Amino acid sequence: MLGLMQSQQLLISSLIEFAERHHGEGEIVSRRVEGDIHRYTYKDMAVRSRKVANALEQMDLAFSDRVATLAWNGYRHLELYFGVSGSGRVLHTLNPRLHPDQIVWIANHAEDQVLCFDMSFLPIVKAVHSRCTTIKHFIALCDADQLPADTGIPGLQSYEAWLGAQSSTYAWPSFDENSASSMCYTSGTTGNPKAALYSHRSTMLHALAGALPDALSMSARDCVLPVVPMFHVNAWGLPYSAAMTGAKLVFPGPAMDGKSIFELIETEKVSFAAGVPTVWQMMLGHMQAGGLRFSTLKRTVIGGSACPPAMITAFNDVYGVEVLHAWGMTEMSPLGTVCTLKNKHLTLDSAEKMKVRLKQGRGVFGVDMKIIDDEGKELPWDGKSYGDLLVKGPWVISEYFKGEGSAPLVNGWFPTGDVATIDPDGYMQITDRSKDVIKSGGEWISSIDVENIAMAHPAVAMAACIGMKHPKWDERPIIAVVKKPGAEVTRDELVAFYDGKTAKWQIPDDVVFVEAIPLGGTGKMQKTKLREMLKDYQLPTV
Ligand code: AMP
């Protein structure tokens, strides 16, 4: 017997309709590429998203055709999020930090029909447009009078002129909730990039789960600053959860430096911010240098790579801001776990609480996790056994776009490529990417643990641990370190800093000081590049 409830499709357009009706006056504030601050409301955004949809109809795009963006976090990008997906097309967020050749490859692979880009990316578009063979329309996200002449880009028009001619009336179509809504290519550290193709259903369920109190806890009383880019996994779903809850949205545009982010948090009274550790590192550096304090920020979600304990301490103990350590992947829309405490943790002393906060957290409802050994046997949730982490759920990938790469699922589970433990309370902790873990004398050393200790040293700005071939132990860890400007520390001082903080055999054999650690397009350390950089390095013979 079937239930007798209405079977309304879960569609992204319902978010914008809901936002307009229930919190139409809610504010959306953007620092623009032009440098100024732009303010409007959810109602304005809904009106302009309908204009986007009408403009796309006039371009004669088919259902599921791809509309690409090369854009920072801002209101025009948000209008495309809703206008493109809501009208049944697929929003393809291109990552402007990739090499132009990669952008060409990805745009052609996705068969993008339209490209909307911020003016800061005009040089990239000039360099790639003739090689993007499927793109028929180029739209610059600017006013008509800012469109430069003679760009050489065929048919280039300004976004404002494109929208200006459109009606603000549009009836959002209804269709199967499993239809594709947006796509994002993975960083592609090996082989060609592969695309995760999200659906309306997966996006809506993810937005609902992301807004829950023990996930990102979003409400109409929040003012949210997504520093995480809208070109990386839909800014962790924050634009959708914000429209669902009525949270005020603040977008940083291209100004991602510590000073600009801090200023925006203060002037807009941000209560909740989200970003990768490298962004917060810059902002904390700016605050420490100027003796600054937050007046409204209460929570920050940090993910994308492991959050060093020193950062959690700085936010919690120095600035009174709660850190929510979170873990996810492009293939998971991206939310997998969030580290919110349970009642039993509230009475722990701060050292014990820190041990919990350092973990990547508990599975958000909807995401199942398990860890397995090399033979595929499931390992216990004892907080000690570590193995390959597998996940499944309604917003986890089933296969890559166009079936690229090997079929990703193992008996219905997606292998994340991360190595993790899970404790009896369900808190998952990543020890490594499976390819980065260091195997020394038959034991595994977590490169993240080694990095976290170095990052706690006051002279260290960034640290990356990699394994080096060793004749006796198979591999031994070394640590590449970028010093803070003006700070000094020697190799021996840093090695001595590990004493008492970890087992002796887990202390790195050497420290290599470098100018910079190579970062990928989403701000993650690229250890393959670092290994290449240090290919002539020899371990000290002691
Ligand atoms: P991406 O798909 O580019 O977002 O990368 C996903 C990968 O980033 C994961 O598989 C992890 O290896 C890593 N990652 C994400 N969040 C965290 C975290 N909080 N701690 C450690 N690694 C993380």
Side-chain angles (χ1 to χ4, degrees):
M1 182 164 59
L2 293 177
L4 295 174
M5 292 292 124
Q6 298 181 7
S7 62
Q8 191 160 320
Q9 302 299 302
L10 293 172
L11 297 176
I12 288 172
S13 54
S14 66
L15 288 177
I16 187 66
E17 286 186 312
F18 181 82
E20 184 176 18
R21 174 162 291 244
H22 292 271
H23 36 262
E25 77 296 345
E27 255 194 307
I28 300 171
V29 179
S30 313
R31 195 195 289 278
R32 303 203 304 170
V33 171
E34 292 87 330
D36 57 348
I37 297 283
H38 173 274
R39 290 173 191 281
Y40 74 175
T41 63
Y42 275 103
K43 177 162 180 51
D44 298 324
M45 198 267 281
V47 168
R48 283 167 55 95
S49 299
R50 293 198 287 270
K51 290 189 174 198
V52 169
N54 278 322
L56 294 172
E57 301 297 343
Q58 289 199 348
M59 283 180 164
D60 224 13
L61 296 182
F63 188 72
S64 292
D65 270 354
R66 266 74 71 202
V67 176
T69 58
L70 259 181
W72 298 110
N73 292 8
Y75 66 105
R76 288 173 175 139
H77 205 173
L78 190 67
E79 292 158 7
L80 289 163
Y81 259 54
F82 289 105
V84 171
S85 302
S87 69
R89 281 86 191 193
V90 176
L91 177 87
H92 174 201
T93 50
L94 281 161
N95 184 341
R97 294 188 183 131
L98 295 178
H99 188 277
D101 291 348
Q102 273 180 310
I103 293 180
V104 171
W105 190 94
I106 290 173
N108 288 338
H109 187 262
E111 297 170 51
D112 293 334
Q113 303 282 308
V114 184
L115 174 61
C116 304
F117 62 93
D118 269 338
M119 286 304 277
S120 27
F121 304 125
L122 180 63
I124 302 181
V125 181
K126 275 185 177 169
V128 303
H129 72 87
S130 60
R131 290 184 285 150
C132 295
T133 51
T134 58
I135 300 180
K136 299 195 206 93
H137 308 278
F138 292 90
I139 311 285
L141 297 171
C142 65
D143 289 329
D145 59 4
Q146 286 168 344
L147 197 68
D150 307 328
T151 58
I153 301 168
L156 177 65
Q157 50 179 322
S158 80
Y159 181 76
E160 294 304 332
W162 186 53
L163 287 201
Q166 302 303 328
S167 156
S168 56
T169 312
Y170 180 82
W172 297 108
S174 182
F175 43 79
D176 182 345
E177 64 186 13
N178 291 299
S179 306
S181 57
S182 65
M183 72 197 306
C184 183
Y185 280 71
T186 60
S187 336
T189 41
T190 51
N192 282 323
K194 301 187 285 272
L197 187 60
Y198 312 112
S199 69
H200 284 258
R201 175 185 156 82
S202 70
T203 306
M204 293 291 285
L205 292 174
H206 180 269
L208 268 169
L212 285 172
D214 269 339
L216 307 182
S217 185
M218 309 248 306
S219 81
R221 278 129 356 249
D222 273 309
C223 174
V224 182
L225 173 75
V227 185
V228 50
M230 289 166 81
F231 55 74
H232 187 213
V233 216
N234 302 325
W236 299 350
L238 291 170
Y240 305 115
S241 296
M244 189 175 271
T245 56
K248 173 178 170 182
L249 269 170
V250 181
F251 290 124
M256 307 285 265
D257 59 286
K259 179 170 182 287
S260 308
I261 296 289
F262 176 78
E263 275 172 13
L264 211 51
I265 289 176
E266 286 303 296
T267 52
E268 295 306 324
K269 301 190 172 22
V270 169
S271 60
F272 172 47
V276 296
T278 36
V279 166
W280 301 131
Q281 192 77 20
M282 287 192 289
M283 192 187 67
L284 290 175
H286 170 71
M287 291 179 69
Q288 277 152 11
L292 303 166
R293 312 287 303 179
F294 294 118
S295 43
T296 54
L297 191 68
K298 292 195 179 60
R299 298 190 319 285
T300 172
V301 56
I302 304 184
S305 42
C307 179
M311 185 170 286
I312 300 184
T313 310
F315 270 115
N316 263 308
D317 302 356
V318 183
Y319 299 110
V321 173
E322 187 187 14
V323 169
L324 303 175
H325 195 190
W327 167 87
M329 303 182 75
T330 307
E331 287 88 340
M332 299 177 66
S333 306
L335 269 190
T337 62
V338 183
C339 196
T340 46
L341 302 185
K342 290 184 175 176
N343 250 340
K344 66 195 277 187
H345 300 126
L346 299 180
T347 47
L348 294 177
D349 65 30
S350 58
E352 289 300 309
K353 242 187 222 161
M354 176 60 114
K355 281 191 195 152
V356 182
R357 286 194 185 283
L358 264 181
K359 300 189 178 195
Q360 275 71 10
R362 293 184 276 147
V364 172
F365 172 78
V367 175
D368 278 348
M369 298 187 288
K370 67 174 176 181
I371 40 174
I372 57 168
D373 66 13
D374 288 346
E375 277 78 50
K377 192 166 81 37
E378 194 168 345
L379 295 167
W381 289 24
D382 57 12
K384 293 188 205 79
S385 312
Y386 49 84
D388 290 317
L389 176 65
L390 273 60
V391 290
K392 67 176 184 175
W395 56 83
V396 177
I397 194 167
S398 63
E399 57 185 290
Y400 291 104
F401 178 56
K402 292 186 175 172
E404 289 294 324
S406 52
L409 300 196
V410 179
N411 298 327
W413 291 78
F414 175 70
T416 62
D418 289 323
V419 177
T421 60
I422 306 179
D423 73 16
D425 288 317
Y427 286 73
M428 184 275 284
Q429 183 159 27
I430 303 270
T431 55
D432 247 311
R433 287 297 287 165
S434 48
K435 58 184 184 312
D436 291 338
V437 77
I438 295 151
K439 287 153 197 138
S440 176
E443 293 290 340
W444 285 14
I445 299 176
S446 156
S447 65
I448 295 177
D449 286 350
V450 177
E451 286 156 10
N452 281 345
I453 295 176
M455 290 291 288
H457 192 283
V460 173
M462 203 182 273
C465 173
I466 52 173
M468 286 285 168
K469 284 266 156 284
H470 189 281
K472 179 168 177 197
W473 302 113
D474 187 15
E475 277 185 333
R476 287 296 301 150
I478 66 158
I479 188 129
V481 164
V482 182
K483 284 186 245 177
K484 284 189 183 155
E488 267 319 319
V489 59
T490 64
R491 173 212 176 270
D492 292 348
E493 281 164 0
L494 206 51
V495 172
F497 187 66
Y498 280 82
D499 273 346
K501 297 190 176 77
T502 185
K504 278 232 165 338
W505 59 275
Q506 296 186 343
I507 297 179
D509 277 14
D510 201 7
V511 178
V512 183
F513 293 103
V514 293
E515 287 296 311
I517 287 164
L519 297 179
T522 53
K524 291 181 212 292
M525 297 192 284
Q526 289 194 306
K527 293 200 178 169
T528 33
K529 287 226 168 111
L530 182 65
R531 285 189 195 98
E532 240 167 68
M533 249 167 75
L534 300 179
K535 65 179 184 313
D536 298 327
Y537 168 87
Q538 297 281 329
L539 274 173
T541 46
V542 199

